[in-house]
Structures are given as structure tokens and as C-alpha cells.
Amino acid sequence: AQGNVRICRELIEALADWFPGHATHLDSALAHWLSKRRFGGKPVVLHRGIHAASTPLPRR
């Protein structure tokens, strides 16, 4: 009401710091549980930033 937006900016910064960890750990556990309950197995997890060149393929 007085035009002081400092507290809102601090909240936004705190949420931006907190959310990635929350999504990675807590939401992935919930997704695992829901998938196991609904489909009987683990969900498929895709990770960004992992390059195929960094992991050598096994020799045949």
C-alpha cells in the first residue's frame, strides 16, 4: 500500500533459490510414488545437460 516492494523482491529471490531443489527432490519422489501406484512401475526420468559423448558406449 505504501509502494515498498522490497519484501516482495526478497520473497521472489527466496522462491527462486528454493524451487529448483524442491522440484528436483520432493516432486520427483511424489512422481515416483504416483507412477508406481498408477502404472505399477517407476517413472522414466530424463536429465538435461547429459551428453552422450561424456558416457562411452560399451564395446560389443
Side-chain angles (χ1 to χ4, degrees):
Q2 297 173 356
N4 184 354
V5 296
R6 180 185 57 81
I7 191 74
C8 291
R9 291 178 193 265
E10 290 175 2
L11 176 60
I12 290 169
E13 289 176 12
L15 287 173
D17 290 341
W18 165 80
F19 186 75
H22 170 77
T24 299
H25 299 292
L26 297 178
D27 287 352
S28 66
L30 176 60
H32 181 188
W33 181 80
L34 289 171
S35 285
K36 189 169 185 178
R37 183 174 175 163
R38 184 170 182 190
F39 303 114
K42 294 181 181 181
V44 174
V45 178
L46 303 175
H47 295 276
R48 287 191 273 167
I50 298 176
H51 302 285
S54 65
T55 306
L57 296 174
R59 292 181 178 230
R60 291 184 178 203

